[in-house]
Every structure is written in structure tokens, then in C-alpha cells.
Amino acid sequence: MMSKKKKLITFLCILFINLIAAFSMYQMVFSNAALTLRSASEKNTLIQLFYSKDKSFSEAESLKTEALQTGIVNTTNVTVSSDSQYIRVDFGDEKSEVVIEGLSVSKLNANVDLLDYITEKTKKHNCKIVDNQSSVTVLTTGEDPYFIIDLKKPISSLMQDTLMIFWGLITAVLCVVADVLMWFGIVRNLKDISLIKEVKENRKLIWSLSKNDFKTKYSGSYFGIFWAFVQPIVTILIYVFVFQVGFKAAPEGDYPYVLWLIAGIIPWFFFVESLINATNCLLEYSYLVKKVVFKISVLPIVKIISSLFIHLFFIAFALLIYVLNGKIPQIQIIQIGYYCICMIALVLSISYFTASIVPFFKDFSQIVSILTQIGMWLIPIMWNKNMLAQQFHWILKLNPMYYVVDGYRDSFIYGIWFWEKPAQTLYFWGAVIVIYAVSMTVFKKLKVHFSDVL
């Protein structure tokens, strides 16, 4: 007979494989769409297609083509990501007359004609659009002529067909997971649920220790907790100076680089500080670890809550900066609370492993610190993911913190709800569950020896 522990490990492995499969299917169905342009002109005219999710059109997300002389129709195809919400069609600086006989977006077997979405309200610059029923004629009248099409409605129409395919695949995966769940009786095997009970029973102690930890961390200095807020602010100012002033980083759409940077770097600051503090919690509270009656499993939680105080301040600070710049966040800002919970769950899952190793190998805390420094550059916090080829974006998304950083920017800037990313959400929580299960297994194996080595 298979032991309960082996059953649990087997289930988690199968669950993780299914989550990766679901993530891959999501990428296949939703990540790529084909944009097709069929054009002709009275003379050779350069055309450039841009696509973006926030009107931050860049050369990295564009394709150059030509509308050839009258009588010859040129067909151009470009692959765009599923989160592209706008396309911009630019024409050469010379005055010209371009006939667009086809402009469509397609995915799998579904196709939407974008010419139907070109109206008088379409945003235009130095060009005039004449509707010819089956085609449109673009008359350019000056320098930098272009028009922009909002893809929200066309993509929504397109998804009506592909959504059924997607949910069919997801349903199949969920059925497999449900069967495995019932077979192994996972509810009876999840003994780590006891952590929730411990937190509930010791909530007053946890809160008291968290407040005391926050106060005493800087109690020996003249300026006290003032330093907790100054260091991250100075770090942000340095990055802004280096990238925006030094390297002249381009704004992200209508948002200055500094606002885009703040939205991504604030969650990372919390992740790093809480992880490092939680990693060293057993060393710092060694006098409590040696007490038999004390529940040492709550110590990482104490450190995370202590770091959360500073994080909440920086969320308020970020909101103030956005308002002062005239960029009031949309209603989606309320989901910051959800992403905070995501980050706490991720840090907690990792910290039980890292905290277990440090009492036996104290250098491990330095290794964790170095890994967090490297990790900052593996996530597009200070650089745009579009600098990387589209086909490699899935590698970035394998990192659970990518989901959180991207979520903060969705909340502050892009106005995207977390449920609009079902596969990424599913993958994130699946990864957290697996990491937590491994970490708690290590923690329980080693905790009987903590008092001996501390």
C-alpha cells in the first residue's frame, strides 16, 4: 500500500504537471493571434504596423511592409500577443493614396474583419479614411500619418469561438485533477492545514510580536523606523536617475518611466525584505525556538507581517505619486489586496524551507540574499518584457513573482483584473502549493534538531 505521504507527493506532482499543461494550452490558444494586412497603392508606400496593449507603440512590436503600385495587392502577416489592445498603421511621410483591401485578426479558425471597426471616431493623424464598402482608402495629408484601431471589441468577438475550445481543454484538465483528488483523498492527507489553526489560536501573539519586531528593528538608531522608509525611496531615486536620466528610458505609453518602475519595484522590495527576514527568523528568535511549548512555525509569519507595515506605506506612497502626476488608478487598484495575499503566500511557502536550512548552514542566508539580487533582473521590473522576443515570454512567466509584479502594474496602470489571466492565476497558486508542501516537509523533518544547533 502506498503511504499517505507518497500519495500526497504523487498528487502534488500530478497537479503541477496539469497546471503546466493548462498554462501551455492557454499560451497556445490565447497568446498568439495573426494580424493580416492586404494593401495596394498608386506608388510604393512604406507601411508600418504597430501593436500594443497600452498605446506604448515601440519598434520591437511592429512590422514594416510596403503597399505596392496599383494592381498589385501585397499581403502582410504578423503575429501579435493576446494582450494587444490597439494597433496603429503608419504610412510614409510622402503624400499617398493607399487602398486597404483587407485588415483582419485571426486565431485558430476564427477571423474578424477589422475594416468593420474603422469609423469616423477612429483616431487619425494627418490622414483621411474613405469607406469603399469592401475596402478603405487612406489619403495621407502630411507628416507622420497614421490611424489607430481599438482591438477590444474585435478580440472579444474573436474569443467567442476560441473561448469554447479553451474552456473545453481546461475542463478536461480539471476533471483529471478532480479524479486524482478524490482518489488520493487529499483532504484527509493535508495535515499542514494545522498551520491555519495555529495562526488562529496564536493570532494575538503573532500580532504583538510583529509590532514589537517592527519597532525594535531600528530602535538602536537616532532616526528609528525612519530608515525603513528612506532606504527604499533612495534606491528608487537612484534607479530612476540611472535609467530615465542616464539611459533615457522611454515612457510606457502615457505613463512616465518612473511611474511604471514604481508599480513593479514596490512588490519586489517587500518580497526581498520579508524573505530575508523570515529566512533568519529562527536565528533571531533562538530563545523562543528552545522553548518546547512555543509554536515556532509562526515565526516566519511574524517577520512577514512586520515587513508588511512598510509595504502598505509604499502602496500609499505610490498612489500619491500617481495622483500628483495626474494618473489616477482605475477601479482595478482594489485588487492590490489580492496580490498582497499572493505575495505573502509565496514568501511564506519559500521561507519555511530557507529558515529550516539556516540553523545548520548559516551561510545560506547570504546565498538567499545574492539570489534575490539576481532575481530582480530575471523579472522585467526595470526593463520591459518586450525587449525579449515574444516566443520567450513564457520563460519569464514560470517565475511566480512575475505574476505578482505584473499584477501590480495591471492594477496601477493597465486596468486588468486578475481573473482575466486564468491560466497564470492557476499556475501561480499551483506553484505555491507545491513549494509549500516541499518546504513544510523539510521544516517538519528538521525542526526537532533546531534547539540543538542554535
Side-chain angles (χ1 to χ4, degrees):
M1 289 290 291
M2 185 183 292
S3 66
K4 288 185 176 181
K5 185 178 293 185
K6 289 182 179 179
K7 287 181 180 180
L8 178 58
I9 294 173
T10 303
F11 166 75
L12 291 173
C13 291
I14 294 174
L15 174 62
F16 193 62
I17 291 171
N18 277 286
L19 290 174
I20 293 177
F23 184 74
S24 299
M25 286 185 288
Y26 171 81
Q27 291 293 100
M28 177 186 69
V29 176
F30 280 99
S31 289
N32 299 314
L35 184 65
T36 302
L37 171 68
R38 298 175 63 246
S39 58
S41 176
E42 60 183 5
K43 58 182 178 181
N44 290 3
T45 303
L46 181 66
I47 297 178
Q48 188 166 9
L49 283 172
F50 293 90
Y51 48 95
S52 171
K53 69 176 181 180
D54 53 8
K55 293 186 179 179
S56 59
F57 302 107
S58 65
E59 294 291 331
E61 292 185 314
S62 70
L63 179 72
K64 293 181 180 180
T65 184
E66 266 191 315
L68 303 178
Q69 61 186 6
T70 303
I72 301 177
V73 178
N74 184 42
T75 301
T76 304
N77 292 283
V78 60
T79 300
V80 301
S81 58
S82 63
D83 57 0
S84 298
Q85 297 186 16
Y86 302 93
I87 62 168
R88 170 170 154 170
V89 185
D90 280 37
F91 303 89
D93 290 338
E94 296 182 8
K95 291 185 178 181
S96 62
E97 181 177 318
V98 180
V99 178
I100 299 179
E101 298 194 359
L103 182 59
S104 62
V105 61
S106 60
K107 193 188 296 287
L108 298 182
N109 60 345
N111 183 79
V112 175
D113 189 354
L114 297 179
L115 294 183
D116 296 336
Y117 292 88
I118 298 178
T119 65
E120 290 296 325
K121 295 182 179 180
T122 299
K123 184 175 180 180
K124 301 180 287 289
H125 181 259
N126 286 338
C127 69
K128 180 180 179 182
I129 297 177
V130 180
D131 189 353
N132 303 324
Q133 292 184 344
S134 61
S135 65
V136 297
T137 301
V138 182
L139 305 172
T140 64
T141 57
E143 292 185 359
D144 191 27
Y146 66 82
F147 67 83
I148 297 175
I149 299 179
D150 189 331
L151 289 179
K152 293 187 185 70
K153 288 184 178 180
I155 291 294
S156 176
S157 174
L158 187 65
M159 289 305 166
Q160 290 178 2
D161 292 328
T162 57
L163 194 61
M164 296 303 295
I165 300 173
F166 170 71
W167 283 118
L169 296 172
I170 290 298
T171 301
V173 173
L174 292 179
C175 285
V176 173
V177 173
D179 290 340
V180 176
L181 185 66
M182 290 185 290
W183 183 44
F184 286 125
I186 193 66
V187 175
R188 292 184 288 106
N189 288 314
L190 278 177
K191 295 181 180 179
D192 290 335
I193 288 285
S194 60
L195 179 64
I196 299 175
K197 185 179 179 181
E198 289 178 9
V199 171
K200 186 176 180 181
E201 291 175 350
N202 298 279
R203 60 186 182 277
K204 291 183 179 179
L205 175 62
I206 293 172
W207 180 248
S208 177
L209 286 173
S210 299
K211 291 192 296 183
N212 185 65
D213 183 87
F214 179 70
K215 291 177 183 177
T216 58
K217 189 180 298 183
Y218 302 95
S219 59
S221 59
Y222 285 107
F223 295 102
I225 61 173
F226 176 73
W227 292 113
F229 306 105
V230 170
Q231 184 176 354
I233 291 176
V234 171
T235 303
I236 291 174
L237 291 176
I238 292 173
Y239 286 143
V240 169
F241 179 80
V242 171
F243 287 94
Q244 185 163 308
V245 179
F247 292 108
K248 300 187 183 301
E252 295 297 321
D254 298 331
Y255 288 80
Y257 175 78
V258 61
L259 298 184
W260 183 83
L261 174 64
I262 287 175
I265 205 169
I266 284 179
W268 181 256
F269 280 157
F270 171 72
F271 174 78
V272 172
E273 183 185 6
S274 57
L275 178 60
I276 292 176
N277 290 341
T279 296
N280 297 313
C281 68
L282 298 181
L283 292 179
E284 188 172 340
Y285 288 99
S286 58
Y287 61 93
L288 293 176
V289 175
K290 295 176 182 179
K291 291 186 177 181
V292 179
V293 294
F294 187 79
K295 298 289 187 181
I296 61 175
S297 57
V298 303
L299 290 178
I301 301 174
V302 169
K303 285 296 186 179
I304 292 171
I305 294 177
S306 176
S307 301
L308 185 61
F309 296 142
I310 301 174
H311 183 61
L312 294 177
F313 164 79
F314 275 102
I315 290 176
F317 172 75
L319 286 171
L320 177 62
I321 296 297
Y322 271 70
V323 172
L324 291 178
N325 280 271
K327 302 294 184 181
I328 300 177
Q330 304 175 48
I331 185 63
Q332 285 82 359
I333 193 65
I334 63 175
Q335 67 184 353
I336 283 292
Y338 162 75
Y339 285 110
C340 276
I341 294 173
C342 290
M343 195 156 39
I344 290 171
L346 179 61
V347 174
L348 192 63
S349 301
I350 299 172
S351 63
Y352 279 113
F353 175 79
T354 57
S356 302
I357 302 299
V358 168
F360 303 93
F361 180 50
K362 293 180 174 59
D363 292 344
F364 190 67
S365 61
Q366 302 301 323
I367 295 174
V368 171
S369 179
I370 293 173
L371 290 176
T372 56
Q373 293 179 37
I374 297 173
M376 185 175 187
W377 298 98
L378 297 179
I379 302 175
I381 294 176
M382 288 177 287
W383 56 278
N384 195 312
K385 66 180 180 181
N386 294 324
M387 295 172 66
L388 192 66
Q390 176 72 31
Q391 60 265 33
F392 298 118
H393 285 188
W394 67 272
I395 299 176
L396 299 176
K397 296 177 182 179
L398 290 176
N399 186 336
M401 261 309 287
Y402 173 91
Y403 175 75
V404 177
V405 171
D406 206 42
Y408 267 65
R409 286 190 172 131
D410 288 341
S411 303
F412 274 98
I413 299 175
Y414 303 127
I416 300 174
W417 293 105
F418 72 90
W419 58 74
E420 295 181 51
K421 300 178 176 180
Q424 287 186 43
T425 300
L426 189 64
Y427 172 80
F428 173 82
W429 286 109
V432 168
I433 290 171
V434 172
I435 294 170
Y436 175 75
V438 173
S439 296
M440 284 303 296
T441 300
V442 174
F443 184 81
K444 288 188 174 184
K445 286 279 188 182
L446 298 178
K447 73 175 182 179
V448 295
H449 305 292
F450 290 159
S451 58
D452 299 329
V453 296
L454 290 173

